[in-house]
Amino acid sequence: METQITDLFGLAIYTDKGMYIGEVDDVVIDVDSKKIEALVVGKVNDQLFELKNYKGLKIPYRIISAIDDIVLIRHLPGAFSGSGTIEEQQ
């Protein structure tokens, strides 16, 4: 199945345990390998993360399980406990 990268913008992101993370705000692409590297999250669920000087949150593409009407990622124990640990974007 083919899809346009722009179709990803605004999709809700959930873990496979049903936890809402946020929405896709941008896509990071590795142009040399022609692959998506990460999704940048906007409208982050502020109950999960306490980010100071928030500029974005990147979710590595390797932990994405499925993309359709929503983006489904693997639940990483401890990653969503208010620490903003996935990857804070500078």
Side-chain angles (χ1 to χ4, degrees):
M1 179 175 137
E2 285 188 29
T3 188
Q4 300 291 322
I5 288 177
T6 55
D7 292 341
L8 299 175
F9 298 135
L11 290 180
I13 302 169
Y14 288 87
T15 69
D16 55 5
K17 303 272 188 203
M19 189 178 298
Y20 176 74
I21 304 300
E23 292 182 3
V24 177
D25 194 42
D26 204 354
V27 178
V28 179
I29 300 173
D30 181 344
V31 248
D32 293 332
S33 65
K34 300 177 185 174
K35 293 182 180 180
I36 295 176
E37 192 172 291
L39 297 180
V40 178
V41 183
K43 297 184 182 175
V44 175
N45 182 350
D46 57 359
Q47 294 178 359
L48 299 178
F49 302 100
E50 296 171 13
L51 301 175
K52 295 180 182 176
N53 302 321
Y54 171 74
K55 294 183 182 172
L57 181 73
K58 290 193 305 188
I59 295 184
Y61 198 74
R62 68 183 177 275
I63 70 167
I64 295 174
S65 302
I67 298 175
D68 198 352
D69 293 335
I70 64 168
V71 176
L72 191 64
I73 65 171
R74 286 183 299 165
H75 185 84
L76 301 173
F80 309 114
S81 60
S83 60
T85 54
I86 292 213
E87 272 187 54
E88 289 183 50
Q89 184 178 359
Q90 298 293 338

